Amino acid sequence: MKIYTGRGDDGLTDLRNMERVSKSSARIEAYGSVDEVNALVGKVRPTGHDDVDEQLREIQNHLHIVQADFANPDPDEDDPQVRQRHVDAVEGMIDAYDDELDPLESFILPGGSDPGARLHHARAVCRRAERRAVTFASEESGVNGTGVVYLNRLSDTLFTLARVVNQREGVPEENPTY
């Protein structure tokens, strides 16, 4: 597979069905932002916590599915698509790790240990990806809404994982002052 083709030099790119679209389209913005989240999640690994690293690897695979789903305007049943089971998986992560944490009573400042801060960064970019996906879904018909739901839940998962890692690293949470 050749890395460069020159086909994108005119500001257009191919969708999965080989339709050419502008690189500035809402669809490309959506799955490009998901790609950025995936790269940030990859930058977090390894955290030094095997269980968290395993969950992050699963999340990275999910994010590839989100990208493939968003890049395909006419998916067949056997094409990669975000399903409820992906949402259920990240909800299960939240529930499992939430048992390890003190109840959240206030906003917290993003930061902490190196992996905790990187997880907070990934969470913030995931929120942006979600906003881009909402725009994409509002502008085009037939968008798999489960992908938007997944990104919403994933940002909560990344927040929870950041809290867990920071707690395990002995870094206290800081609350904003108003």
Side-chain angles (χ1 to χ4, degrees):
M1 180 174 173
K2 193 170 185 176
I3 297 300
Y4 64 92
T5 63
R7 287 182 46 80
D9 293 352
D10 59 356
L12 299 176
T13 191
D14 294 321
L15 297 179
R16 188 142 195 248
N17 66 356
M18 300 311 291
E19 176 186 343
R20 304 275 294 156
V21 297
S22 171
K23 290 182 179 184
S24 67
S25 76
R27 179 185 297 275
I28 304 306
E29 277 293 320
Y31 75 71
S33 294
V34 173
D35 185 33
E36 189 176 356
V37 174
N38 204 344
L40 287 171
V41 171
K43 189 174 178 180
V44 175
R45 290 176 48 213
T47 62
H49 305 278
D50 291 342
D51 60 327
V52 173
D53 292 344
E54 188 176 308
Q55 302 298 344
L56 293 175
R57 184 178 186 289
E58 182 178 353
I59 286 166
Q60 285 192 283
N61 281 297
H62 291 174
L63 289 168
H64 266 281
I65 294 167
V66 174
Q67 286 178 260
D69 194 346
F70 286 178
N72 193 351
D74 301 310
D76 292 327
E77 190 58 37
D78 58 342
D79 286 332
Q81 292 182 302
V82 184
R83 308 274 189 207
Q84 184 61 41
R85 65 180 151 82
H86 299 107
V87 175
D88 294 343
V90 291
E91 285 179 351
M93 292 175 200
I94 294 169
D95 294 342
Y97 287 108
D98 205 39
D99 291 342
E100 193 175 324
L101 296 167
D102 293 331
L104 190 62
E105 296 178 5
S106 176
F107 287 108
I108 62 170
L109 296 174
S113 66
D114 186 55
R118 286 183 283 147
L119 282 161
H120 276 298
H121 185 193
R123 175 207 39 88
V125 175
C126 186
R127 285 284 188 212
R128 178 167 25 96
E130 178 190 2
R131 292 189 301 272
R132 299 294 188 268
V134 167
T135 299
F136 160 51
S138 72
E139 291 180 4
E140 294 198 31
S141 62
V143 175
N144 180 1
T146 307
V148 176
V149 172
Y150 178 83
L151 293 172
N152 184 327
R153 213 67 83 246
L154 177 60
S155 62
D156 296 334
T157 306
L158 295 170
F159 177 79
T160 301
L161 291 173
R163 292 187 68 214
V164 164
V165 166
N166 282 337
Q167 180 175 291
R168 289 179 183 178
E169 300 282 323
V171 178
E173 294 177 339
E174 297 179 28
N175 303 106
T177 57
Y178 298 97

